[in-house]
Amino acid sequence: MATASPVSFDDIREAAARLNGIVHRTPVLTSRTLNALVGAEVFIKCENFQRIGAFKFRGAYNAAAQLSPKQLAKGIAAYSSGNHAQATALAARELGAGAVILMPEDAPRSKMEATAGYGAEVVTYDRYTQDRTALGQALAEDRGLALIPPYDHPHVIAGQGTAALELLEETGDLGALIVPVGGGGLIAGSATTAKTLQPAIRVIGVEPENGDDTKRSLELGERVTIPVPRTIADGQALSTPGEITFAINQRLVDAIILVSDEEIVHAMRFAFDRLKIVLEPSGATALAAVMAGIDNPPARIGIIASGGNIDTQRFTELTGSR
Amino acid sequence: MATASPVSFDDIREAAARLNGIVHRTPVLTSRTLNALVGAEVFIKCENFQRIGAFKFRGAYNAAAQLSPKQLAKGIAAYSSGNHAQATALAARELGAGAVILMPEDAPRSKMEATAGYGAEVVTYDRYTQDRTALGQALAEDRGLALIPPYDHPHVIAGQGTAALELLEETGDLGALIVPVGGGGLIAGSATTAKTLQPAIRVIGVEPENGDDTKRSLELGERVTIPVPRTIADGQALSTPGEITFAINQRLVDAIILVSDEEIVHAMRFAFDRLKIVLEPSGATALAAVMAGIDNPPARIGIIASGGNIDTQRFTELTGSR
């Protein structure tokens, strides 16, 4: 019994047209050193070079751009401690809308400043005592703002699917596509694109080993909730998959690989030393997975390097001690 | 009275054909943040993503590939404390030739290991008591090796000119091209390309303020020698311009800008934080110059980010203290 997907490949193609000239068409890097290490040709889609430093801008803009002029005049809201905050703030600014972003009061100062720098009002909360989803919804309702969720929305997922579209247009046939999994928006969009264009491709998700909520959920066949994971991959420190994203990923994702914090740091250091690119921990998990070795590696593998928002101090803390 | 140049644009086009499929066609990055800061559209040719992490591989390979089969069977030599060592070692390996590289005994262990990793024999010397040029020539003569100099050779210069060729093919008309100057090979090749394709373009070199040998030489109209400069830009710590490179640069380079170590570090940090790329000090000088502000900036500026070979520890030492 087939159910119509909440996100079709047509939605992703429309998103790509909407984002054209707004997002960066990020480069695809290759490295002979990496290829020799992995024993396959690896194509790295550099979303760390995306505007705001991560793929998140694709989804946020695609969602915001579909709001009515009346809604845009009222404004946009989002809750995020990370890249979705900056993504939504920038999307709002590009569309001439106001934005209110709910961020934990202990979020990195640089991220709060960047978000405010895009013209958004930053509202803080205590993440140990307050529920951000409830707060965000209350804030949006009180002020009449449109809430753009970080992943569990068809327009957000369709926007994220445009990165894989650009990648596959550039590489042609791949044996596997490896994508980081947090709430599941990037991989849901990526898998929709990949399985449409190349039905034989394997779509493999990567989670930090302490944040394996999607792996467990896929194994059990229903969404499970785990304790808030402790991992350096803060963009993937979620307790449970999204509802819409999980439904898509259940159909389209072939496997989930887990990587340790140590493997992530190793990949970040390799990216710096050999690829000369900066990856934040979550942005390095797909690289970490391919470097750790995947089962039956195909000859040509695509990976999404999803983000690069890390400051030099934190980078040094993580990579400093060999 | 016109003199035929030792390097013509045809030489560069032939080099590009020779390098096709051997070198990376490196991406050209743009950043709206940088554009807003500079007040112009800036196109960054990312030679830090080149094989061995710097543009040097272009020239070394172009020179090595023009040696006779007999000479390749005897082997290649080079002297370098930095990127030209790895570049020559890799060029030799690609051509199936042996290589002997003369490196100072206190060169970074990582660079010596990388050079040896490409299969070259590394011979060390004491840079405080021994003359590397004399040693290199003696080594080459004793063993019958072909010496590939780091910059002062028409084939090396022609190879370096292919980076600007790729850049201008991608960007179209630029008002200025900004290029780091060490021995002058990269800018001599770049200027030959740029002034042929776009005669109205301004070609601007960048030196570290303590290593202004080319600026002084251009002002005086002849090559001057300065004390070995103290600068973090080790790839540009030279005392005097090359003979062939200077003759070309005297005709084609419009101006030289000086940047301080502080401006270089600021550019390296900006590259990490906002562009998400890793630049070594010499690789960041063109970015530093454009960020510091050039006179009468045109609407569209190309810069060459020439290399990214710096380890995390040194990067932290340089950028750590704000």
Side-chain angles (χ1 to χ4, degrees):
Chain A
M1 193 176 72
T3 319
S5 175
V7 180
S8 69
F9 181 58
D10 281 344
D11 296 331
I12 293 172
R13 267 208 292 238
E14 281 166 26
R18 203 172 282 121
L19 295 174
N20 185 23
I22 304 286
V23 302
H24 283 311
R25 189 179 175 100
T26 54
V28 176
L29 292 188
T30 58
S31 155
R32 296 187 194 222
T33 306
L34 179 61
N35 292 353
L37 197 73
V38 173
E41 254 190 298
V42 181
F43 300 88
I44 308 166
K45 178 66 172 170
C46 286
E47 284 295 294
N48 57 322
F49 299 155
Q50 190 49 266
R51 295 180 72 182
I52 73 101
F55 73 95
K56 287 280 187 184
F57 179 60
R58 296 177 183 269
Y61 186 90
N62 190 51
Q66 292 180 72
L67 296 171
S68 67
K70 196 172 153 191
Q71 183 56 63
L72 285 174
K74 284 186 180 167
I76 298 172
Y79 47 85
S80 167
S81 57
N83 293 329
H84 182 61
Q86 295 172 65
T88 306
L90 177 58
R93 193 188 71 180
E94 289 281 320
L95 293 159
V100 182
I101 312 291
L102 190 64
M103 301 183 79
E105 59 194 9
D106 59 348
R109 181 148 300 277
S110 60
K111 293 202 172 175
M112 291 176 65
E113 284 173 0
T115 304
Y118 292 124
E121 178 188 344
V122 174
V123 175
T124 59
Y125 70 100
D126 179 348
R127 66 167 137 186
Y128 301 101
T129 60
Q130 297 180 287
D131 172 14
R132 72 174 192 174
T133 311
L135 275 177
Q137 282 165 352
L139 180 77
E141 275 168 36
D142 286 354
R143 302 213 200 170
L145 306 170
L147 188 67
I148 298 187
Y151 48 85
D152 216 15
H153 188 292
H155 296 172
V156 173
I157 296 167
Q160 318 305 30
T162 60
L165 179 58
E166 292 173 6
L167 174 63
L168 296 181
E169 279 173 359
E170 193 156 335
T171 62
D173 277 356
L174 296 178
L177 177 63
I178 306 185
V179 183
V181 179
L186 179 61
I187 195 168
S190 300
T192 303
T193 293
K195 294 282 185 176
T196 304
L197 293 178
Q198 300 181 12
I201 200 171
R202 267 188 287 162
V203 176
I204 300 171
V206 185
E207 289 186 299
E209 61 183 8
N210 295 333
D212 61 348
D213 52 298
T214 293
K215 183 175 179 18
R216 289 186 192 211
S217 299
L218 290 174
E219 282 166 3
L220 201 70
E222 63 180 30
R223 294 159 68 215
V224 299
T225 299
I226 62 171
V228 176
R230 288 185 175 275
T231 166
I232 60 169
D234 52 312
Q236 295 168 272
L238 284 98
S239 311
T240 190
E243 197 175 332
I244 302 169
T245 55
F246 182 67
I248 296 170
N249 293 331
Q250 224 178 351
R251 276 191 302 114
L252 300 181
V253 172
D254 295 287
I256 301 280
I257 294 175
L258 303 181
V259 290
S260 68
D261 279 1
E262 201 182 346
E263 288 170 331
I264 295 171
V265 167
H266 181 62
M268 290 170 67
R269 201 183 285 129
F270 181 88
F272 184 105
D273 287 341
R274 305 305 298 250
L275 308 177
K276 316 299 177 190
I277 63 175
V278 178
L279 297 180
E280 63 184 280
S282 302
T285 52
L287 177 61
V290 84
M291 286 177 70
I294 65 170
D295 288 339
N296 306 313
R300 307 178 88 240
I301 301 173
I303 68 178
I304 299 187
S306 57
N309 287 327
I310 185 166
D311 59 33
T312 52
Q313 194 187 332
R314 176 71 176 147
F315 187 87
T316 303
E317 283 168 18
L318 290 176
T319 62
S321 57
R322 288 167 194 243
Chain B
M1 194 175 71
T3 319
S5 175
V7 180
S8 70
F9 182 58
D10 280 345
D11 295 331
I12 294 172
R13 267 207 292 239
E14 281 165 26
R18 202 171 283 121
L19 296 174
N20 186 24
I22 305 285
V23 303
H24 283 312
R25 190 177 174 100
T26 55
V28 176
L29 291 188
T30 58
S31 155
R32 295 187 193 222
T33 307
L34 179 61
N35 292 353
L37 198 72
V38 173
E41 253 188 298
V42 181
F43 300 88
I44 308 166
K45 178 66 171 170
C46 286
E47 284 295 293
N48 58 323
F49 297 155
Q50 189 48 266
R51 295 181 73 182
I52 72 102
F55 73 95
K56 288 279 187 184
F57 180 59
R58 295 178 183 268
Y61 186 90
N62 189 52
Q66 291 179 72
L67 297 172
S68 66
K70 195 172 153 190
Q71 183 55 63
L72 286 174
K74 285 186 182 168
I76 298 171
Y79 47 85
S80 167
S81 58
N83 294 328
H84 182 62
Q86 294 171 67
T88 306
L90 178 58
R93 193 187 73 180
E94 289 281 321
L95 292 160
V100 183
I101 313 290
L102 190 64
M103 301 183 79
E105 58 195 10
D106 59 346
R109 183 146 299 277
S110 59
K111 293 202 171 173
M112 291 176 66
E113 285 173 359
T115 304
Y118 292 124
E121 178 188 345
V122 174
V123 175
T124 59
Y125 70 100
D126 178 350
R127 67 166 137 186
Y128 301 101
T129 60
Q130 297 179 285
D131 172 15
R132 71 175 192 172
T133 311
L135 276 178
Q137 282 165 352
L139 180 77
E141 275 168 36
D142 286 354
R143 302 212 201 172
L145 306 170
L147 188 67
I148 298 186
Y151 48 85
D152 215 16
H153 189 290
H155 297 171
V156 173
I157 296 167
Q160 317 305 29
T162 60
L165 179 58
E166 291 174 7
L167 173 63
L168 297 182
E169 279 174 358
E170 192 157 334
T171 61
D173 277 355
L174 296 178
L177 177 63
I178 306 185
V179 183
V181 179
L186 180 61
I187 194 168
S190 300
T192 303
T193 294
K195 294 282 184 176
T196 304
L197 293 178
Q198 301 180 14
I201 199 172
R202 268 189 285 163
V203 175
I204 300 171
V206 185
E207 289 185 300
E209 61 184 6
N210 295 333
D212 60 349
D213 53 298
T214 292
K215 182 174 176 27
R216 289 185 192 212
S217 300
L218 289 174
E219 282 166 3
L220 201 69
E222 62 180 30
R223 293 158 70 213
V224 299
T225 299
I226 62 171
V228 175
R230 288 186 176 274
T231 166
I232 59 169
D234 52 312
Q236 295 168 271
L238 284 98
S239 311
T240 190
E243 197 176 330
I244 303 170
T245 55
F246 181 67
I248 296 171
N249 293 332
Q250 224 179 350
R251 276 192 301 115
L252 300 180
V253 171
D254 295 289
I256 300 280
I257 295 176
L258 303 181
V259 291
S260 67
D261 279 2
E262 199 182 346
E263 287 170 330
I264 295 171
V265 167
H266 181 62
M268 290 170 69
R269 202 183 283 128
F270 181 88
F272 185 105
D273 286 341
R274 306 305 299 251
L275 308 177
K276 316 299 179 189
I277 63 174
V278 179
L279 298 180
E280 63 184 279
S282 302
T285 52
L287 178 61
V290 84
M291 287 177 70
I294 65 169
D295 288 339
N296 306 313
R300 308 179 88 239
I301 302 173
I303 68 178
I304 300 188
S306 56
N309 286 327
I310 185 166
D311 58 32
T312 52
Q313 194 187 331
R314 177 70 176 147
F315 188 86
T316 303
E317 282 169 19
L318 290 176
T319 63
S321 57
R322 286 164 195 246

